[in-house]
Amino acid sequence: QSEIRKRLLELFSHSETEFISGQKISELLGCSRTAVWKHIEDLRAEGYEVNAIRKLGYQIKSKPDKISSNEIQLGLETRILGSSIHFEEVTTSTQKLAHKLAYEGVDEGTIVVTEEQTEGRGRLDRKWFSPKYTGIWMSLILRPNIPPTSAPQLTLLVAVGVAQAIQEVTGIEPDIKWPNDILVSGKKVVGILTELQAEPDRINSVIIGIGINVNQTQEQFPEPINNTATSLSIITGKKIDRALLLQQILLHIEKLYLTYLKNGFKVIKLLWESYAINIGHQMVARTIQGDIKGHALGITDDGVLKIQSDNGEIHLIHSADIEL
Ligand code: BT5
């Protein structure tokens, strides 16, 4: 049943504005025209707007504001990312679920998406607020053939892909703050969390969590982040199509990922630098070993941050919180 639904939406994803006749759909899906009609009715009940015109057939005019597998699938143009979609209406954390699936051996490109996380998390077990129907909370599973030490490059790659997609869908030009934040007007819109299942010299899988504030109002941000967080909708003053944004994110990340696997980090680094805000500025890097104050020189070819402290010494920072 859900397989037919998936194929039905696939048919429409190739002809978004076109009509497809009931006869043709029933032939392609191998079910009766009554069954086709029934599936269309089900879509309507879920909030799809479907035009039905005698002699022309069916056309999907709009999707509901949801990001379950169907809405992601319809119009998705990627080959790898999203080839398998695990959707949960609510879950503790998509990272947790993705770790489990990765361990069980799911294919590269599998994504885990939810409408709400009850235990969304950031780095160092910090909390990530993930309220219902307002954002994109997802985890990607990749299996690149790279050494574990190169994995941080993927955080930067994903940040570029998300920034490009945000720019394309909303017109906003976001900033990237090393290593894992995307900011707009100095406030955090996106957080990225990269985790590994690896042996010392080999990656089994990389699990990349992406959290994006899309349609929240300012009042929806709770006290500790009320002044530091914002959403795309607050900035544009418009409601944003989350499914479309999600699809564009997958598409941009996939393009960058394929380039990266083929040509290495160089091109990604250049793109990343074009979005970076903290390079060339004074900053404090709060690391587990202590604070380092200085001038950010840039990132190395591995994606490591280079800071020159006031006494001229150069530090390589692998992991830190940055204060500008
Ligand atoms: C991050 O950590 O920014 C990574 C966040 C990754 C979230 C995604 S959602 C899908 C996947 N599943 C998960 O469970 N996680 C990933 P970090 O740099 O440590 O920043 C965390 C800090 O950001 C918190 O301590 C808060 O101060 C702030 N914060 C929490 N929720 C926020 C939100 N919705 N928007 C902006 N800032 C937030």
Side-chain angles (χ1 to χ4, degrees), residues 92-96 117 119-124 126-131 136-139 180-181 188-193 209-213 216 221 224-225 228-230 321:
T92 50
S93 156
T94 57
Q95 285 296 98
K96 205 165 157 184
Q117 295 186 120
E119 291 168 27
R121 53 190 174 79
R123 293 176 299 158
L124 307 170
R126 294 175 188 138
K127 217 172 135 65
W128 182 261
F129 292 95
S130 325
I136 294 176
W137 327 122
M138 79 169 156
S139 299
N180 68 331
D181 291 350
K188 185 157 169 171
V189 177
V190 181
I192 299 165
L193 176 66
I210 306 173
I212 308 178
N213 300 323
Q216 289 101 324
F221 290 105
I225 59 165
T228 57
T230 190
D321 283 306

